Amino acid sequence: MVLDPFYPVMPDAVWIERIVPLGVRLVQLRAKDKPESALRGEIRRSLAVCQAHGCQLVVNDHWRLAADEGADFIHLGQEDLAEADLSSIRAAGLKLGLSTHDEAELDIALAAKPGYVALGPVWPTILKQMPWAPQTPERLRVWRERIGNLPLVAIGGLRPERAAEVFRHGADCAAVVTDITLHADPEARVREWIAVTRGAGATS
């Protein structure tokens, strides 16, 4: 599997419709606290714009809805993984990305045979309260050795000027949330991210 090195994580379809036409090739829909009907609409809209622009959509958490609506890639956190039906996920043909924060979670993730593994937070993040200390870029190198050729996604506290450091330590993708959504000019920030990551390459 090859993933684009720039991986924005967006809260709704409006954001995805806003940034994908700028040249984004990989994006996650991380829609929270919505009723099922609204989630279906978010996934449909996100899929439509991604398909129109050659972008890979990853749906966070809602794997049943993702399969129903024709998405082919999901991302699960450890709590969601514990409750997920992996056999049904595989039967649906869904590719799977998994979050990890420590060695025990990495063991659990690798047993699920994911399409990629994410490590975070690499630096302090304001996205949500986390019980884990920042992992540091050096930790990425440990994960790189453990997971072999699986794509490795770095997330948490990333900014364009830090991209080269995470790639140097073994990450294939830089996942970005608030650096875009809270930026004064999100479109300009997306273009900056594309400029610094395009050509960085990803591991297959």
Side-chain angles (χ1 to χ4, degrees):
M1 180 180 295
V2 177
L3 299 178
D4 193 78
F6 174 46
Y7 187 8
V9 179
M10 298 289 101
D12 55 40
V14 171
W15 271 104
I16 289 176
E17 290 166 342
R18 184 174 176 180
I19 70 166
V20 164
L22 302 176
V24 172
R25 296 175 180 165
L26 173 69
V27 70
Q28 183 182 133
L29 172 63
R30 186 177 181 271
K32 300 289 186 179
D33 303 320
K34 294 179 184 288
E36 181 176 315
S37 60
L39 287 168
R40 284 188 184 276
E42 294 286 337
I43 294 170
R44 287 175 188 172
R45 287 175 57 184
S46 299
L47 274 172
V49 69
C50 286
Q51 290 168 352
H53 293 274
C55 178
Q56 172 69 65
L57 176 68
V58 182
V59 177
N60 185 283
D61 291 353
H62 308 290
W63 63 268
R64 290 184 180 87
L65 293 179
D68 286 349
E69 297 301 326
D72 63 358
F73 211 138
I74 59 169
H75 180 95
L76 298 179
Q78 290 282 321
E79 291 181 2
D80 301 297
L81 175 61
E83 298 174 357
D85 183 343
L86 285 177
S87 61
S88 295
I89 287 171
R90 294 191 183 101
L94 292 168
K95 296 185 285 288
L96 176 63
L98 294 173
S99 296
T100 65
H101 307 89
D102 56 35
E103 294 276 359
E105 290 189 351
L106 180 57
D107 289 339
I108 292 169
L110 291 176
K113 302 186 184 308
Y116 74 72
V117 168
L119 173 67
V122 179
W123 285 280
T125 176
I126 61 173
L127 179 61
K128 59 181 178 179
Q129 289 294 109
M130 290 190 175
W132 305 278
Q135 301 286 340
T136 75
E138 289 73 19
R139 188 80 161 167
L140 289 165
R141 195 173 299 280
V142 177
W143 257 234
R144 175 81 281 152
E145 294 173 356
R146 286 285 312 278
I147 72 175
N149 287 332
L150 275 177
L152 176 59
V153 176
I155 188 168
L158 273 69
R159 302 192 296 268
E161 60 270 22
R162 289 173 166 171
E165 187 170 4
V166 297
F167 294 137
R168 187 169 64 249
H169 282 86
D172 299 300
C173 298
V176 187
V177 190
T178 57
D179 190 66
I180 295 169
T181 60
L182 297 183
H183 197 272
D185 188 343
E187 285 81 3
R189 195 62 155 182
V190 166
R191 292 187 181 97
E192 183 179 1
W193 268 107
I194 289 172
V196 301
T197 57
R198 202 58 44 89
T203 301
S204 59

PDB file of all heavy atoms in Angstrom, residues 15 27-28 45-46 59 66 109 112 121 132 146 152 155 160 171 174 187 190:
ATOM      1  N   TRP A  15     -15.591  20.684   5.174  1.00  0.00           N
ATOM      2  CA  TRP A  15     -14.134  20.857   5.145  1.00  0.00           C
ATOM      3  C   TRP A  15     -13.512  20.040   4.019  1.00  0.00           C
ATOM      4  O   TRP A  15     -12.601  20.502   3.324  1.00  0.00           O
ATOM      5  CB  TRP A  15     -13.522  20.460   6.486  1.00  0.00           C
ATOM      6  CG  TRP A  15     -13.458  21.578   7.463  1.00  0.00           C
ATOM      7  CD1 TRP A  15     -14.260  21.782   8.545  1.00  0.00           C
ATOM      8  CD2 TRP A  15     -12.522  22.658   7.458  1.00  0.00           C
ATOM      9  NE1 TRP A  15     -13.899  22.932   9.215  1.00  0.00           N
ATOM     10  CE2 TRP A  15     -12.831  23.485   8.557  1.00  0.00           C
ATOM     11  CE3 TRP A  15     -11.471  23.012   6.629  1.00  0.00           C
ATOM     12  CZ2 TRP A  15     -12.110  24.638   8.851  1.00  0.00           C
ATOM     13  CZ3 TRP A  15     -10.738  24.175   6.914  1.00  0.00           C
ATOM     14  CH2 TRP A  15     -11.070  24.965   8.009  1.00  0.00           C
ATOM     15  N   VAL A  27      -7.474  11.875   2.606  1.00  0.00           N
ATOM     16  CA  VAL A  27      -8.145  12.667   3.630  1.00  0.00           C
ATOM     17  C   VAL A  27      -8.994  11.752   4.497  1.00  0.00           C
ATOM     18  O   VAL A  27      -9.510  10.734   4.028  1.00  0.00           O
ATOM     19  CB  VAL A  27      -9.023  13.776   2.980  1.00  0.00           C
ATOM     20  CG1 VAL A  27     -10.242  13.179   2.266  1.00  0.00           C
ATOM     21  CG2 VAL A  27      -9.467  14.805   4.015  1.00  0.00           C
ATOM     22  N   GLN A  28      -9.098  12.113   5.766  1.00  0.00           N
ATOM     23  CA  GLN A  28      -9.947  11.359   6.690  1.00  0.00           C
ATOM     24  C   GLN A  28     -11.157  12.193   7.106  1.00  0.00           C
ATOM     25  O   GLN A  28     -11.023  13.373   7.440  1.00  0.00           O
ATOM     26  CB  GLN A  28      -9.166  10.961   7.943  1.00  0.00           C
ATOM     27  CG  GLN A  28      -9.974  10.106   8.909  1.00  0.00           C
ATOM     28  CD  GLN A  28      -9.208   9.755  10.176  1.00  0.00           C
ATOM     29  OE1 GLN A  28      -9.735   9.885  11.292  1.00  0.00           O
ATOM     30  NE2 GLN A  28      -7.962   9.316  10.038  1.00  0.00           N
ATOM     31  N   ARG A  45     -21.267  12.755   0.791  1.00  0.00           N
ATOM     32  CA  ARG A  45     -20.711  13.991   0.247  1.00  0.00           C
ATOM     33  C   ARG A  45     -19.192  13.914   0.142  1.00  0.00           C
ATOM     34  O   ARG A  45     -18.601  14.344  -0.865  1.00  0.00           O
ATOM     35  CB  ARG A  45     -21.111  15.181   1.121  1.00  0.00           C
ATOM     36  CG  ARG A  45     -22.566  15.574   0.994  1.00  0.00           C
ATOM     37  CD  ARG A  45     -22.921  16.677   1.963  1.00  0.00           C
ATOM     38  NE  ARG A  45     -22.095  17.883   1.800  1.00  0.00           N
ATOM     39  CZ  ARG A  45     -22.191  18.942   2.590  1.00  0.00           C
ATOM     40  NH1 ARG A  45     -23.057  18.956   3.591  1.00  0.00           N
ATOM     41  NH2 ARG A  45     -21.416  19.990   2.376  1.00  0.00           N
ATOM     42  N   SER A  46     -18.567  13.354   1.165  1.00  0.00           N
ATOM     43  CA  SER A  46     -17.105  13.249   1.158  1.00  0.00           C
ATOM     44  C   SER A  46     -16.630  12.314   0.054  1.00  0.00           C
ATOM     45  O   SER A  46     -15.657  12.608  -0.651  1.00  0.00           O
ATOM     46  CB  SER A  46     -16.618  12.749   2.523  1.00  0.00           C
ATOM     47  OG  SER A  46     -16.979  13.649   3.549  1.00  0.00           O
ATOM     48  N   VAL A  59     -12.653   6.820   6.400  1.00  0.00           N
ATOM     49  CA  VAL A  59     -13.742   7.145   7.320  1.00  0.00           C
ATOM     50  C   VAL A  59     -13.349   6.709   8.731  1.00  0.00           C
ATOM     51  O   VAL A  59     -13.014   5.548   8.949  1.00  0.00           O
ATOM     52  CB  VAL A  59     -15.057   6.458   6.901  1.00  0.00           C
ATOM     53  CG1 VAL A  59     -16.165   6.745   7.917  1.00  0.00           C
ATOM     54  CG2 VAL A  59     -15.482   6.916   5.507  1.00  0.00           C
ATOM     55  N   ALA A  66     -19.527   3.165   6.540  1.00  0.00           N
ATOM     56  CA  ALA A  66     -18.549   3.310   5.465  1.00  0.00           C
ATOM     57  C   ALA A  66     -18.741   2.218   4.420  1.00  0.00           C
ATOM     58  O   ALA A  66     -18.748   2.485   3.212  1.00  0.00           O
ATOM     59  CB  ALA A  66     -17.137   3.266   6.036  1.00  0.00           C
ATOM     60  N   ALA A 109      -2.579  -3.737  17.388  1.00  0.00           N
ATOM     61  CA  ALA A 109      -2.805  -3.251  16.029  1.00  0.00           C
ATOM     62  C   ALA A 109      -2.216  -4.206  14.999  1.00  0.00           C
ATOM     63  O   ALA A 109      -2.868  -4.543  14.003  1.00  0.00           O
ATOM     64  CB  ALA A 109      -2.203  -1.855  15.859  1.00  0.00           C
ATOM     65  N   ALA A 112      -4.160  -7.220  14.092  1.00  0.00           N
ATOM     66  CA  ALA A 112      -5.338  -6.986  13.261  1.00  0.00           C
ATOM     67  C   ALA A 112      -4.989  -6.851  11.774  1.00  0.00           C
ATOM     68  O   ALA A 112      -5.884  -6.674  10.959  1.00  0.00           O
ATOM     69  CB  ALA A 112      -6.068  -5.729  13.737  1.00  0.00           C
ATOM     70  N   PRO A 121       0.384  11.175  20.249  1.00  0.00           N
ATOM     71  CA  PRO A 121       0.785  12.414  19.592  1.00  0.00           C
ATOM     72  C   PRO A 121       2.306  12.544  19.554  1.00  0.00           C
ATOM     73  O   PRO A 121       2.983  12.292  20.546  1.00  0.00           O
ATOM     74  CB  PRO A 121       0.174  13.497  20.489  1.00  0.00           C
ATOM     75  CG  PRO A 121       0.165  12.870  21.864  1.00  0.00           C
ATOM     76  CD  PRO A 121      -0.089  11.404  21.631  1.00  0.00           C
ATOM     77  N   TRP A 132      -1.477  10.121  27.167  1.00  0.00           N
ATOM     78  CA  TRP A 132      -0.117   9.776  26.800  1.00  0.00           C
ATOM     79  C   TRP A 132       0.730  11.024  26.652  1.00  0.00           C
ATOM     80  O   TRP A 132       0.285  12.044  26.152  1.00  0.00           O
ATOM     81  CB  TRP A 132      -0.096   9.010  25.472  1.00  0.00           C
ATOM     82  CG  TRP A 132      -0.961   7.803  25.498  1.00  0.00           C
ATOM     83  CD1 TRP A 132      -0.667   6.575  25.999  1.00  0.00           C
ATOM     84  CD2 TRP A 132      -2.310   7.720  24.996  1.00  0.00           C
ATOM     85  NE1 TRP A 132      -1.737   5.734  25.846  1.00  0.00           N
ATOM     86  CE2 TRP A 132      -2.756   6.396  25.236  1.00  0.00           C
ATOM     87  CE3 TRP A 132      -3.177   8.619  24.373  1.00  0.00           C
ATOM     88  CZ2 TRP A 132      -4.021   5.959  24.876  1.00  0.00           C
ATOM     89  CZ3 TRP A 132      -4.428   8.192  24.017  1.00  0.00           C
ATOM     90  CH2 TRP A 132      -4.844   6.886  24.260  1.00  0.00           C
ATOM     91  N   ARG A 146       9.518  -1.834  13.989  1.00  0.00           N
ATOM     92  CA  ARG A 146       8.548  -2.862  14.399  1.00  0.00           C
ATOM     93  C   ARG A 146       7.579  -3.229  13.289  1.00  0.00           C
ATOM     94  O   ARG A 146       7.178  -4.394  13.174  1.00  0.00           O
ATOM     95  CB  ARG A 146       7.743  -2.371  15.614  1.00  0.00           C
ATOM     96  CG  ARG A 146       8.473  -2.358  16.942  1.00  0.00           C
ATOM     97  CD  ARG A 146       8.634  -3.762  17.518  1.00  0.00           C
ATOM     98  NE  ARG A 146       7.399  -4.527  17.507  1.00  0.00           N
ATOM     99  CZ  ARG A 146       6.426  -4.433  18.432  1.00  0.00           C
ATOM    100  NH1 ARG A 146       6.563  -3.601  19.456  1.00  0.00           N
ATOM    101  NH2 ARG A 146       5.339  -5.191  18.347  1.00  0.00           N
ATOM    102  N   LEU A 152       3.524   4.167   7.938  1.00  0.00           N
ATOM    103  CA  LEU A 152       3.511   4.722   9.287  1.00  0.00           C
ATOM    104  C   LEU A 152       3.052   6.175   9.225  1.00  0.00           C
ATOM    105  O   LEU A 152       3.644   6.993   8.522  1.00  0.00           O
ATOM    106  CB  LEU A 152       4.910   4.639   9.901  1.00  0.00           C
ATOM    107  CG  LEU A 152       5.106   5.264  11.284  1.00  0.00           C
ATOM    108  CD1 LEU A 152       4.180   4.631  12.323  1.00  0.00           C
ATOM    109  CD2 LEU A 152       6.567   5.144  11.719  1.00  0.00           C
ATOM    110  N   ILE A 155       1.045  11.670  13.816  1.00  0.00           N
ATOM    111  CA  ILE A 155      -0.026  12.634  14.091  1.00  0.00           C
ATOM    112  C   ILE A 155       0.211  13.292  15.443  1.00  0.00           C
ATOM    113  O   ILE A 155       0.766  12.682  16.356  1.00  0.00           O
ATOM    114  CB  ILE A 155      -1.416  11.941  14.051  1.00  0.00           C
ATOM    115  CG1 ILE A 155      -2.535  12.990  14.146  1.00  0.00           C
ATOM    116  CG2 ILE A 155      -1.531  10.866  15.127  1.00  0.00           C
ATOM    117  CD1 ILE A 155      -3.924  12.434  13.834  1.00  0.00           C
ATOM    118  N   PRO A 160       4.070  22.384   9.086  1.00  0.00           N
ATOM    119  CA  PRO A 160       4.892  22.162   7.888  1.00  0.00           C
ATOM    120  C   PRO A 160       6.388  22.108   8.173  1.00  0.00           C
ATOM    121  O   PRO A 160       7.102  21.295   7.579  1.00  0.00           O
ATOM    122  CB  PRO A 160       4.524  23.338   6.982  1.00  0.00           C
ATOM    123  CG  PRO A 160       3.110  23.661   7.359  1.00  0.00           C
ATOM    124  CD  PRO A 160       3.054  23.443   8.851  1.00  0.00           C
ATOM    125  N   ALA A 171       8.449   8.107   9.365  1.00  0.00           N
ATOM    126  CA  ALA A 171       7.033   8.236   9.007  1.00  0.00           C
ATOM    127  C   ALA A 171       6.874   8.332   7.494  1.00  0.00           C
ATOM    128  O   ALA A 171       7.745   8.858   6.793  1.00  0.00           O
ATOM    129  CB  ALA A 171       6.419   9.457   9.672  1.00  0.00           C
ATOM    130  N   ALA A 174       2.183  12.497   7.177  1.00  0.00           N
ATOM    131  CA  ALA A 174       1.986  13.493   8.225  1.00  0.00           C
ATOM    132  C   ALA A 174       0.491  13.787   8.305  1.00  0.00           C
ATOM    133  O   ALA A 174      -0.084  14.363   7.378  1.00  0.00           O
ATOM    134  CB  ALA A 174       2.759  14.771   7.910  1.00  0.00           C
ATOM    135  N   GLU A 187      -6.837  27.329   3.267  1.00  0.00           N
ATOM    136  CA  GLU A 187      -6.459  26.954   1.902  1.00  0.00           C
ATOM    137  C   GLU A 187      -4.964  27.174   1.663  1.00  0.00           C
ATOM    138  O   GLU A 187      -4.284  26.318   1.070  1.00  0.00           O
ATOM    139  CB  GLU A 187      -7.282  27.740   0.878  1.00  0.00           C
ATOM    140  CG  GLU A 187      -8.713  27.266   0.728  1.00  0.00           C
ATOM    141  CD  GLU A 187      -9.652  27.793   1.802  1.00  0.00           C
ATOM    142  OE1 GLU A 187      -9.202  28.589   2.656  1.00  0.00           O
ATOM    143  OE2 GLU A 187     -10.835  27.415   1.805  1.00  0.00           O
ATOM    144  N   VAL A 190      -3.078  24.432   3.463  1.00  0.00           N
ATOM    145  CA  VAL A 190      -3.114  23.167   2.724  1.00  0.00           C
ATOM    146  C   VAL A 190      -2.112  23.198   1.576  1.00  0.00           C
ATOM    147  O   VAL A 190      -1.362  22.230   1.358  1.00  0.00           O
ATOM    148  CB  VAL A 190      -4.535  22.882   2.205  1.00  0.00           C
ATOM    149  CG1 VAL A 190      -4.521  21.756   1.162  1.00  0.00           C
ATOM    150  CG2 VAL A 190      -5.456  22.519   3.360  1.00  0.00           C
TER     151      VAL A 190
END
